[in-house]
C-alpha cells in the first residue's frame, strides 16, 4: 500500500509540473504575440486624419498624428446607383393605406 501511495504521489507531482509548464508556455506565447493592425482600418484612420489636417493621407507624419486629439467617424451611407434608376418611387395616396 505504501508503494502505491508513493507512485500516485509521483504521478500527481509529474502531472502538476507538466500542467504548470503548459500554462507557462501559453502565457509566454500570449505575452510575446504582437497584434497586427487591419490594413483597411489603418487606411480609414489615415483618411479621416488627413481630412482633419487638410493633408494627403500618404504625407502624414508621426507629428501630424500627435496633433490629433479626437477622430470622428461619420456613418457612411452606400447607395447603389443602379437601383435608383431601375426602381422609380411610386407615389402613395391615402387610399392605398390599409388600416
Amino acid at each position: 500500500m505504501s508503494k502505491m501511495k508513493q507512485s500516485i504521489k509521483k504521478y500527481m507531482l509529474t502531472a502538476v509540473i507538466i500542467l504548470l509548464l503548459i500554462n507557462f508556455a501559453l502565457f509566454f506565447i500570449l505575452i510575446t504575440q504582437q497584434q497586427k493592425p487591419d490594413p483597411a482600418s489603418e487606411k480609414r484612420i489615415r483618411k479621416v486624419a488627413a481630412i482633419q489636417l487638410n493633408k494627403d493621407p500618404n504625407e502624414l507624419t508621426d507629428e501630424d498624428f500627435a496633433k490629433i486629439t479626437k477622430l470622428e467617424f461619420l456613418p457612411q451611407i452606400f447607395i447603389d446607383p443602379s437601383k435608383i434608376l431601375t426602381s422609380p418611387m411610386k407615389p402613395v395616396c391615402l387610399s392605398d393605406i390599409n388600416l
Side-chain angles (χ1 to χ4, degrees), residues 2-13:
S2 171
K3 283 187 175 187
M4 189 169 186
K5 285 184 180 181
Q6 286 179 348
S7 65
I8 290 174
K9 285 183 180 181
K10 188 165 77 171
Y11 287 127
M12 290 292 282
L13 181 63

Side-chain angles (χ1 to χ4, degrees), residues 3 10 14 17 19 24 32 34 36 44-45 50 52 58-62 73 77 82-83 86 90 99:
K3 283 187 175 187
K10 188 165 77 171
T14 305
I17 290 172
L19 285 174
F24 177 73
T32 58
Q34 292 182 354
K36 296 182 180 178
R44 187 165 182 216
I45 290 170
Q52 186 173 344
N58 297 323
E59 295 176 358
L60 293 174
T61 62
D62 291 339
F73 293 91
I77 300 172
S82 64
K83 291 185 179 178
T86 57
K90 177 185 170 192
L99 297 177

Side-chain angles (χ1 to χ4, degrees), residues 31-59:
I31 295 296
T32 58
Q33 265 188 344
Q34 292 182 354
Q35 296 290 333
K36 296 182 180 178
D38 180 26
S41 297
E42 185 177 346
K43 184 178 178 182
R44 187 165 182 216
I45 290 170
R46 282 187 153 290
K47 188 176 179 182
V48 171
I51 291 170
Q52 186 173 344
L53 296 172
N54 295 323
K55 285 190 166 186
D56 183 53
N58 297 323
E59 295 176 358

